[in-house]
Structures are given as structure tokens and as C-alpha cells.
Amino acid sequence: MSMPFNFSDKGNSWYQLVTAKTGDLHLQLTGSYTLISLNQSLPVVAKKLTQLASQPDLHWDLTNIHQLDYAGAAMLWRAWNGRRPDYLLLRPEQERMFHRLEKMIALPEPSQRKWFLPVSLLGQQLLRFFDHLAGMITLSGQIVLDIFYLIAHPGRIPVREISANLYRTGAQALGITAIVGFLIGIVLSYLSSEQLHMFGADVYIVNILGMSVIRELGPMLAAILVAGRSGSAMTAQLGVMRVTEELDALTVMGIPHSLRLVLPKIIGLGLALPLIVLWTSAVALLGGLLAADLQVGLSIHYALNSLPDAVPIANLWLGLGKGVVCGMAIALIACHFGLRIQPNTESLGEGTTNSVVTSITAVIIIDAIFAVAFSNIGIRIVS
Amino acid sequence: MTRTDPVIEITGLMTRFGSNIIHENINLTVFKGEVLALVGGSGSGKTTLLRQMLGLITPAQGSVKVLGAARYACDREEERNLRIRSGVLFQQGALFSALTVYDNIALPMRELRILSESMIRDLVMLKLGMVGVETQHAHKMPSELSGGMIKRVALARALALDPELLFLDEPTAGLDPALSESFVELIRALREELALTIIMVTHDLDTLIAISDRVAVLADRGIVALGSIPDIVVNKHPFIKNFFGGVRGRNALRVLNLDQADSGSEHSAPLVL
């Protein structure tokens, strides 16, 4: 037998092997078998004890243990492979601990995790998508009903909430959209004016800038920025209201969520986004024309004069229309995800992320639909 | 109870939020194996004092020594030992809502990085058994649990590392009378079994009387009374008279047969008015 007769580690003496007069081998455990004193030596001690436990006729003597806690007891229990050794000497309080360990019920298996299968994963995603779609259709239907109700009862229109949303999503977004719009305008103008200059077609910079900014870039930039900024805020606000039971408080007061929380957001953003689109387009154009002036010497005065000829007015209406539709879609999606948040932290983060990703995707899909539906409006085709 | 073995020593403690002074010159010693209750009106700084013992709020002045280590001037190793040797039950449970019951209790054990996963499993099931939570709840999320169950799971998590020192913040707040009685019973049984030292903040008179050995009454920015319940109830401080002298207080004290002692002040009350 090559077992050590004494085992100590880091200054602690854990056990002694003693041969009694009767010839039996006694294992006396010493020291504190607590988490704090076992600490880093725990795996080593556990391994040694497990080796010793393989000797069936070993007498275990735990009465000399200074202090034993459940971590130490559980370690011994593991070493004994879940049953008491044949010869065991315990103090009464230790007896109680091992009694608890004996009564311990095994951890039940978690309910079947089917979602690991790729097929059911795909199916679940699809079902979730339809579930969200149905939820959003229900919510928009509810909003339409609310609008009919408000037409019949104009006194009930939540004017203050709409105004607050207009301020929060519109006025407070002016700064960031201006900075982004201005820089994009400069970049776009810089790149295209260099190219046009090679062909001596400098003046067409007005056409390129005007068409792209007013018809496409302005509305898209504004919508994507607002989706990230206001969409996430709306989802998080509703989500926190769910967590703190504020939504339930509103319900019991007879204040419907859709009328007082969702509708003002949709109308507010539906009004605010076209205005932000106008603002972003204007600043982007300004940036672009300034850059063109500095780059190829195209005077701003001339550029502004030729803008109405270069860009038909229909493009502006198209851009504003995109603003209205995107704004309402962003608010609807944000509210839908916000109302679905469960009262836990993980759900809040997940809901906000999903809301922003979905609304940005929706914005791009709406843009594509506009592009197809209005492909022959506002574009002069030279035949 | 040996009065020679201090677990927590607070000396000259002062707390200030802005210009608002909460505590002034607080001295308090908690001895090994006792249950000390902190009581006081709303805003008297009970929870603040508890949080200072936990190391969550740094006091403006004074020292807090917990288990022999200065709470606000200890090195990493001492800090780690302190965390292992003390457990906290927060008022709302503070279970991690993204983790299951099992993972909530296993988290402090896993953080140690010395226990094997199979040992952690044994210990978690043991702790769940201790607090009387059936094993079928182990895979549930905290949001699926009832209020009483959350408290039990939170207690199991507080006991995860076999602490010597247990802090309870309003242990029975938000529980119905039957549940809070069984929870108090549970704490009492575990205290016996695990030789715990308990520091508890509570408003609930029944809880106070059922488990506390000593009571520290916080009022007027300091500790106005400290001692066993029979010693405290005879104190003439207005807060204490209100706290124990009300109908609820008298009813609760009847358990201790203290209504005799109390009746004297009851008779004198009309004269004072």
C-alpha cells in the first residue's frame, strides 16, 4: 500500500492513518473541513479521500474535525460515493449533517430541450414570426378602432401625450440628424463632384445630390436614426412599465394602453418623422452644396436656383410620405415589442434589440416598396 | 451566549447624504451567535446601516470591522473571505431573473472556482432541501415563483457558501402571516443548525419577538436603545413607546408575557395625554 500515512497541504494537516491495536486501519480526519479553510486544497483533499474510500475496511473517524460545514460534508459524501462507509465515527452535529445529505433528493432532469433540434428551431422561429405578425396586426387594428373612437369623442384625444412624443422624438432628435445629414452630404458631394469634374459635368452635381438626398438618403437616414433612437426608448419605456406593473395599474384605472400609450407614440412619430426628414434633407443638401462650392467652385446661389429644375417637387412629397409611413411603422413595432416584454431583465434587453432590428428592417422594406410603387413618379426619363 | 467574541464592531460611525446627516457617532457590537435586530422608523437609516456592514455604502466617518477585518480597508484576499463568510437576504430577494433557481444558488459556488460541478449539484439540492423548496422548482425561473418561494430561494442562495454571518433585510416583508410565520420558523431552525450570527432589519413585531436576542433601536440619528426586548419595552423614548405601545405592539408582546410590564405605561398614558 503506497498510501501516505499523513497528508498535509499548505500548512494544514488533513488526516492521519493509524493502525489500532486490533489491527484495523483508522483514518482520523483533523483540521477544519470548511469551504474557507479547504479553499484551494479542496480538489487535492477530495482526490486523496476518494482514493482512501476505496478501502472497504477503513475506519473513518470524524470526531477530531475542528469544524465541518456542508461543503466539507458534501466533499466527504462525494468521496464515499453517496453512502456512509461501513465503519464511521461521528459527533452528533455531524450526524445531523450527514442525515440531511442522505435525505437529499437528486436534481430532476430539466424538461426536454427540444429546441436544440435545428428543424424545430426553424419551425419555432417561423411560428414566432407569425405570432409577432398577428400581434402587430391586432395592435394596428386596435389603433384604427381607437382612431374611430376619437373621431366620435374628440375631447378624449390624448393631446398632451402626442405633444410630449412630438417633442421627445422630434425636437430632441434635431441635433443628431443634422450632424449625420451634414456629414453624409459632404461625403456624397465630394465623391461625385470629383467624378463629374473629370467629364466636365460639374453642374450635374445638383441633380445627383438633389435626387439622392431628397428622394432616398434624407428619409432613410432620418428613419434609421429615429428607429435606433426613439424606437429603442419606446420599447424600453413600455418594458419597464411592464416590469414595475405600471401597465397593470393603468388597466385597472380603466385607461387603455392602446389609446394612451401606443396611439400618441404612433401619431407623434408619424408627425415628427416627416419633419425630421425635411430637416435632414435640407442639412444634407446644404453640406453637399457647401462641399461642391469648395471642391469644384460651384456657387451655392446657382445651385439653389437650379435645384427646382433638377429635382421635381414630387420627390419631396415622396420623401415626406416615406417619413409618415416609416414613423408610424417604427412606433408600432416599438410598442408591439415593448408590450410583449416579460418582467425580467433578459427579456427587456432582448425586446429592445428585436425592436430596433425589426424597425430598421421594416424601414428598408418600406423604402423598397416605395421605390417599386412610385418608380415612374418624380423621375425625368430622357428619351 | 459568549459576549466575548465580537463579529461586527462599529465605532464612531457617521453617515451623510449631501447635507443630510443620517447617523452620528454610532457604536455597535454584534457578538458571535446572536440575532440582532435593527428597528427604527422609516428614514432612520436601518437599511443604510445594514448596507454599510455589507460594504455597499462607505460611511463618512468611523470604522466598521466585520469578522475581524476592516470593512473599508481590506485587501483582496480579506475581502474575498468576508464575502464567503457572510450571506445576504435582500428585501425583494434580488434573484437573478435571467438564471434558473438552480443556477441562482449555484452562482456563488461556481464563482469560487474550486468546487466541482457534481459537488455544486449536491450542495444546491441540499440548500434547497434546507429551505424547504421542492426539487421540481429547481429549473424554474424566478419570475415563475411566488413571493414566499422567492424568499426561500434567496435564503438558500444567501446560505450557499455556509456563511457564519447572515444579513436579513426585512425577511418577512410582503409575506402573508402564515408564510411569514413559517419563514421565521425556518430562520430559527437554520440558526440553531448552522450556528449563525444574524443581523436583521425588520418592521414586523412578530418577527422581531420570535427570533431576535437583542434589539438596536435607531432614532434621532443614533442608537437610542440596545438590549433584549424586555429591557427595550420599558424605555421611555417616544419612538419606542409608539412602536411597542400600539395595539399591534401589545398584542405581539403578549407572547413574551410582557403585558404586565407594559400595563404600567398603559395606565400612565392617559395622564400624559
Side-chain angles (χ1 to χ4, degrees):
Chain A
M1 180 88 12
S2 64
M3 211 65 72
F5 276 48
N6 289 302
F7 176 65
S8 46
D9 179 65
K10 290 183 182 131
N12 288 314
S13 160
W14 295 112
Y15 59 76
Q16 283 94 42
L17 268 176
V18 198
T19 314
K21 288 185 194 116
T22 49
D24 295 326
L25 203 54
H26 283 252
L27 182 70
Q28 289 180 343
L29 303 189
T30 52
S32 279
Y33 278 69
T34 60
L35 199 53
I36 202 101
S37 45
L38 281 164
N39 207 355
Q40 302 301 329
S41 354
L42 192 138
V44 189
V45 178
K47 206 171 147 217
K48 296 270 181 195
L49 289 174
T50 313
Q51 282 171 8
L52 286 164
S54 58
Q55 294 171 260
D57 51 350
L58 190 67
H59 291 243
W60 291 75
D61 181 1
L62 272 62
T63 52
N64 291 322
I65 289 183
H66 175 61
Q67 218 183 342
L68 178 71
D69 70 1
Y70 276 103
M75 182 188 77
L76 285 163
W77 195 247
R78 277 265 138 209
W80 297 337
N81 206 11
R83 53 172 203 88
R84 289 178 192 230
D86 297 332
Y87 309 100
L88 177 64
L89 220 55
L90 290 175
R91 291 207 300 260
E93 75 270 17
Q94 295 169 345
E95 170 64 42
R96 210 167 46 205
M97 295 174 98
F98 286 106
H99 187 62
R100 264 207 195 278
L101 276 160
E102 271 170 332
K103 281 199 305 184
M104 186 178 66
I105 303 159
L107 177 71
E109 280 301 303
S111 48
Q112 285 183 319
R113 297 189 175 185
K114 280 183 192 157
W115 55 85
F116 276 125
L117 293 164
V119 177
S120 62
L121 189 78
L122 188 71
Q124 266 183 352
Q125 287 283 359
L126 203 65
L127 285 178
R128 205 174 299 151
F129 172 74
F130 283 123
D131 187 39
H132 279 297
L133 202 65
M136 253 180 268
I137 290 169
T138 316
L139 189 64
S140 29
Q142 181 63 48
I143 294 299
V144 172
L145 290 178
D146 284 340
I147 290 172
F148 284 135
Y149 172 81
L150 288 179
I151 291 169
H153 307 84
R156 291 274 179 112
I157 295 177
V159 184
R160 291 170 66 93
E161 283 92 335
I162 293 175
S163 141
N165 274 298
L166 204 55
Y167 175 70
R168 227 178 289 141
T169 57
Q172 290 187 338
L174 291 181
I176 182 73
T177 47
I179 292 172
V180 174
F182 192 75
L183 293 177
I184 293 282
I186 288 176
V187 171
L188 192 69
S189 164
Y190 174 75
L191 289 175
S192 41
S193 63
E194 281 293 304
Q195 302 299 314
L196 290 171
H197 191 64
M198 288 201 298
F199 304 104
D202 293 0
V203 289
Y204 287 104
I205 185 74
V206 180
N207 297 53
I208 289 184
L209 261 183
M211 279 304 273
S212 59
V213 167
I214 294 173
R215 192 184 171 103
E216 280 297 325
L217 277 176
M220 278 306 95
L221 273 180
I224 289 171
L225 280 172
V226 165
R229 191 184 167 278
S230 305
S232 59
M234 286 176 182
T235 308
Q237 186 205 359
L238 289 179
V240 172
M241 285 178 84
R242 162 79 67 214
V243 175
T244 55
E245 294 185 320
E246 286 171 61
L247 290 181
D248 301 333
L250 281 175
T251 307
V252 296
M253 286 179 204
I255 301 171
H257 305 156
S258 60
L259 191 66
R260 293 296 280 278
L261 291 173
V262 181
L263 186 78
K265 288 184 169 58
I266 293 180
I267 293 183
L269 201 54
L271 289 173
L273 194 56
L275 298 175
I276 296 178
V277 165
L278 198 64
W279 163 257
T280 315
S281 302
V283 177
L285 266 182
L286 183 73
L289 294 181
L290 266 179
D293 194 357
L294 294 172
Q295 189 73 17
V296 292
L298 187 85
S299 93
I300 291 194
H301 185 72
Y302 168 79
L304 286 178
N305 270 337
S306 60
L307 190 63
D309 294 330
V311 185
I313 194 72
N315 289 299
L316 183 65
W317 297 124
L318 212 54
L320 293 182
K322 279 184 196 174
V324 175
V325 176
C326 288
M328 292 172 85
I330 290 167
L332 182 75
I333 291 166
C335 291
H336 165 77
F337 280 100
L339 291 172
R340 288 213 165 190
I341 282 172
Q342 302 296 313
N344 64 63
T345 46
E346 189 138 300
S347 172
L348 189 61
E350 198 185 334
T352 314
T353 309
N354 282 342
S355 156
V356 172
V357 171
T358 312
S359 50
I360 290 177
T361 314
V363 160
I364 288 167
I365 292 173
I366 289 170
D367 185 53
I369 293 172
F370 265 76
V372 173
F374 300 102
S375 57
N376 52 359
I377 290 174
I379 299 174
R380 271 195 215 113
I381 298 153
V382 184
S383 53
Chain B
M1 191 196 315
T2 50
R3 282 283 162 108
T4 50
D5 211 353
V7 175
I8 296 182
E9 288 170 282
I10 298 173
T11 41
L13 181 108
M14 203 253 257
T15 316
R16 197 170 45 200
F17 290 137
S19 60
N20 189 13
I21 295 176
I22 313 283
H23 303 133
E24 239 173 354
N25 193 27
I26 285 194
N27 296 297
L28 179 68
T29 308
V30 183
F31 296 100
K32 197 172 170 59
E34 76 169 338
V35 179
L36 180 89
L38 295 171
V39 300
S42 298
S44 62
K46 312 177 291 287
T47 302
T48 308
L49 190 59
L50 191 79
R51 292 169 76 86
Q52 283 168 339
M53 296 185 208
L54 293 173
L56 292 171
I57 302 175
T58 313
Q61 267 176 35
S63 80
V64 180
K65 276 180 92 177
V66 180
L67 296 165
R71 194 78 198 72
Y72 294 95
C74 53
D75 58 36
R76 228 167 235 268
E77 193 58 30
E78 275 183 320
E79 172 81 23
R80 182 171 178 269
N81 280 353
L82 267 186
R83 298 270 177 229
I84 295 177
R85 291 169 72 186
S86 54
V88 192
L89 172 67
F90 288 96
Q91 190 170 350
Q92 311 290 339
L95 294 178
F96 302 113
S97 56
L99 300 179
T100 61
V101 166
Y102 178 89
D103 289 329
N104 258 290
I105 303 170
L107 182 80
M109 305 179 191
R110 287 184 182 141
E111 263 329 275
L112 289 178
R113 295 172 200 283
I114 47 175
L115 299 172
S116 65
E117 201 54 39
S118 57
M119 236 184 103
I120 289 174
R121 193 166 60 231
D122 283 358
L123 284 169
V124 171
M125 296 324 283
L126 195 72
K127 306 288 161 171
L128 278 178
M130 264 187 204
V131 297
V133 173
E134 285 101 7
T135 46
Q136 79 245 25
H137 300 300
H139 295 298
K140 283 191 179 165
M141 301 304 280
S143 55
E144 298 169 70
L145 301 178
S146 66
M149 202 70 94
I150 286 176
K151 289 265 180 174
R152 281 172 187 264
V153 174
L155 183 63
R157 191 181 70 181
L159 295 173
L161 301 180
D162 287 303
E164 307 155 44
L165 189 55
L166 184 64
F167 295 93
L168 308 174
D169 189 2
E170 299 279 4
T172 52
L175 298 183
D176 70 47
L179 269 179
S180 67
E181 204 174 310
S182 70
F183 196 66
V184 164
E185 209 43 59
L186 173 68
I187 292 172
R188 190 145 64 168
L190 288 175
R191 179 215 171 180
E192 289 294 312
E193 185 177 336
L194 306 173
L196 292 166
T197 307
I198 299 180
I199 292 112
M200 163 175 83
V201 165
T202 187
H203 267 125
D204 186 45
L205 278 157
D206 297 310
T207 311
L208 187 74
I209 287 159
I211 39 182
S212 56
D213 297 321
R214 282 201 307 157
V215 179
V217 184
L218 280 153
D220 309 333
R221 298 176 176 176
I223 294 175
V224 293
L226 177 65
S228 63
I229 295 169
D231 296 342
I232 294 276
V233 289
V234 295
N235 196 301
K236 290 281 181 277
H237 190 277
F239 172 76
I240 298 172
K241 278 173 83 172
N242 270 328
F243 193 74
F244 292 103
V247 181
R248 292 163 56 98
R250 283 205 301 273
N251 283 341
L253 287 173
R254 216 149 276 159
V255 185
L256 290 180
N257 288 323
L258 284 171
D259 41 350
Q260 292 295 321
D262 199 41
S263 61
S265 61
E266 206 178 332
H267 284 302
S268 63
L271 292 174
V272 175
L273 287 167

